[in-house]
Amino acid sequence: MLKKKFILILNILFFFLSYSNSQANNKIEIVKNLNSVETLKFDFAQKAFDKKEIGICYLKRPHFLKCLYEDKNQKELIINKRILVIYHKRYNKIYRYPLSKSYFIQILNREKFSEVIMKGEMQINDDFSEIEYLDENKGQIIFYFNKKNYDLVGWKLIDINNNITVFEMSNQSKNIEIKKTFFSIPEGNQ
């Protein structure tokens, strides 16, 4: 009887150790894939506050992001180093936001993103791998990765006010040429 319990406990420990090792390997593959990306162009769909928006984004590591929204205001989200602005081209209006209160600092910086991935809680399902991370000053974020090629395919953010934003990525093109001047912040009314 004692021998059967011992074997059962060993089997359970082996299962948990192999599952934990598998998750660590997946995280390492995700980080390797993310670190191989210098630039990225992708289509996006964003849902927040019961409103769905679509467009295209361009990312250049370590400090640049520009998303062009397909809307009547010709909205652009631009990150140029430590500055985050929302620019409404139609009205020539610029709204500045603190970058420090968003996860973009982590997403754009290789080392910080790798750290978030390695510290996050991982779950693997049939369609994708997800990594959940919590920062008490920013909220909870769940990153979604393609299970086969480890590409980031989106995220779900639940901010500190419990607002939910879902961001989905598709049609990715990696390591294309994008000049830094593309990320210049326009001179608009503030």
Side-chain angles (χ1 to χ4, degrees):
M1 178 80 145
L2 187 60
K3 190 174 182 179
K4 286 183 181 181
K5 284 183 180 180
F6 180 72
I7 291 172
L8 178 64
I9 290 171
L10 277 177
N11 283 333
I12 291 171
L13 283 173
F14 178 74
F15 171 77
F16 283 115
L17 287 174
S18 64
Y19 180 74
S20 176
N21 190 33
S22 170
Q23 285 188 337
N25 287 339
N26 281 332
K27 285 181 178 182
I28 290 168
E29 290 302 319
I30 287 169
V31 167
K32 269 203 276 186
N33 183 52
L34 290 171
N35 286 342
S36 72
V37 176
E38 291 295 323
T39 63
L40 186 63
K41 175 185 173 187
F42 58 89
D43 295 334
F44 73 88
Q46 173 181 301
K47 186 174 181 188
F49 305 106
D50 295 324
K51 181 179 178 184
K52 185 173 182 178
E53 299 176 289
I54 60 171
I56 189 166
C57 286
Y58 301 85
L59 178 146
K60 183 174 181 74
R61 285 192 153 157
H63 306 292
F64 303 99
L65 178 71
K66 186 172 189 174
C67 296
L68 309 170
Y69 289 74
E70 293 177 14
D71 67 353
K72 65 180 181 178
N73 295 331
Q74 300 171 313
K75 180 167 78 171
E76 297 179 4
L77 178 145
I78 305 167
I79 296 175
N80 186 324
K81 298 193 178 177
R82 297 270 177 221
I83 300 167
L84 184 153
V85 300
I86 302 292
Y87 174 55
H88 291 267
K89 199 178 216 178
R90 180 178 178 185
Y91 303 110
N92 196 32
K93 286 277 196 190
I94 291 182
Y95 303 93
R96 296 182 184 275
Y97 296 94
L99 188 58
S100 62
K101 295 188 180 193
S102 79
Y103 274 103
F104 286 121
I105 289 176
Q106 282 83 2
I107 293 170
L108 294 173
N109 182 290
R110 272 187 189 79
E111 292 80 25
K112 290 180 181 178
F113 202 12
S114 296
E115 189 176 304
V116 166
I117 298 305
M118 296 310 286
K119 286 183 178 179
E121 295 292 322
M122 178 175 234
Q123 290 188 351
I124 301 171
N125 62 42
D126 291 340
D127 300 322
F128 47 83
S129 300
E130 56 185 67
I131 296 180
E132 182 178 328
Y133 182 79
L134 177 65
D135 181 314
E136 48 190 55
N137 297 317
K138 298 176 186 177
Q140 174 189 26
I141 192 163
I142 303 167
F143 293 103
Y144 301 101
F145 295 91
N146 180 303
K147 216 165 84 170
K148 293 179 180 152
N149 63 13
Y150 306 105
D151 283 347
L152 176 65
V153 294
W155 57 81
K156 177 180 180 180
L157 173 65
I158 304 168
D159 70 17
I160 56 176
N161 298 317
N162 284 326
N163 298 314
I164 298 173
T165 302
V166 176
F167 192 87
E168 299 171 352
M169 302 165 61
S170 61
N171 301 323
Q172 297 184 22
S173 298
K174 295 179 184 179
N175 297 325
I176 60 171
E177 187 174 333
I178 307 173
K179 296 188 187 295
K180 285 184 184 178
T181 55
F182 177 72
F183 302 96
S184 296
I185 296 175
E187 298 292 326
N189 300 324
Q190 297 187 29

